[in-house]
Amino acid sequence: MFNLILFGPPGSGKGTQSERLISQFGLKHLSTGDLLRSELSRQTPLGVEAKSFMDKGMLVPDEVVIGMISSALDSNPEANGFLFDGFPRTEAQAEALDKLLKLKQTEISLVLSLIVTEEELVKRLLGRGKTSGRSDDVDENIIRARITEYHKKTSAVADYYKKFDKVVEIKGEGTVDEIFDSLSAEIEKRMYIGQ
Ligand code: B4P
């Protein structure tokens, strides 16, 4: 099994690149942002709880997202590997993910970390806000709050995986094709050795 984490701040291109990577490498896409937005649009109790955090640019509580990922892993027993997009976002989530994968006798193979400047992130997210209908993309204050949450709680996740020598940093500015090629090259170097 090849399990990839696509890591980076909000707006760094995780969702954009994930769409292409899953079709190229046959991985099952697990995006906590998409899972939460699906709960939200169905107005489930979980979605209603999550909305109050997402609308302020804050992270949703760990136990909520860990529970969602655990069910998603159980629902996909046939997967050849997973692409985790937007998860883990805290050290507690990273530790929980390690335990869940261990139960399945597998582990994280690689963490690809997209590096993008803050001004570019804000520009992209405001741009997406004009068309996406996402309430967390329209207000610059909320966007900056998400970036602050990232620095406070999420950037430490890269340090967690660096201890296991699993992180490769990728320049996340340039065309979508250029970034996709850089990400693919790193996956190809490892995918066939690990399988
Ligand atoms: P997510 O849905 O994960 O979204 P994101 O980080 O904001 O965006 P992403 O990184 O995927 O977007 P992309 O760059 O592709 O999170 C939303 C919220 O959900 C969080 O704030 C949090 O509240 C909650 N949440 C999710 N997971 C959680 C977790 N594990 N724990 C707790 N809370 C959680 O796209 C951005 C824009 O850039 C697009 O318009 C795209 O077209 C553009 N773009 C992409 N690549 C580009 C390029 N190379 N050049 C120019 N523009 C580009």
Side-chain angles (χ1 to χ4, degrees), residues 141-179:
N141 291 324
I142 297 175
I143 291 173
R144 296 222 180 248
R146 285 157 65 193
I147 296 172
T148 303
E149 269 297 74
Y150 172 83
H151 289 302
K152 267 201 324 213
K153 298 177 183 164
T154 306
S155 56
V157 172
D159 299 329
Y160 173 86
Y161 288 108
K162 276 179 190 162
K163 285 189 289 200
F164 308 105
D165 213 13
K166 292 189 173 177
V167 182
V168 177
E169 293 187 348
I170 301 285
K171 185 170 164 237
E173 293 187 42
T175 67
V176 171
D177 282 345
E178 284 164 352
I179 299 163

Side-chain angles (χ1 to χ4, degrees), residues 8-17 31-34 36-37 50 53-55 57-62 65 68 85-90 93 114 120-121 124-125 127-129 134 136-137 146 172-177 179:
S12 55
K14 303 184 296 288
T16 305
Q17 295 295 337
S31 156
T32 39
D34 288 351
L36 288 167
R37 281 185 289 278
F53 293 93
M54 293 167 83
D55 279 352
M58 289 163 64
L59 292 182
V60 173
D62 285 336
V65 278
M68 268 181 0
D85 161 8
F87 181 90
R89 262 174 152 101
T90 62
Q93 292 181 20
L114 290 164
E120 174 70 13
L121 297 174
R124 286 184 189 180
L125 292 172
R128 184 170 66 185
R134 276 180 57 171
D136 59 346
D137 280 346
R146 285 157 65 193
E173 293 187 42
T175 67
V176 171
D177 282 345
I179 299 163

Side-chain angles (χ1 to χ4, degrees), residues 41-60:
S41 68
R42 289 180 285 123
Q43 299 197 332
T44 64
L46 193 157
V48 173
E49 188 194 350
K51 184 173 166 36
S52 63
F53 293 93
M54 293 167 83
D55 279 352
K56 294 192 202 99
M58 289 163 64
L59 292 182
V60 173

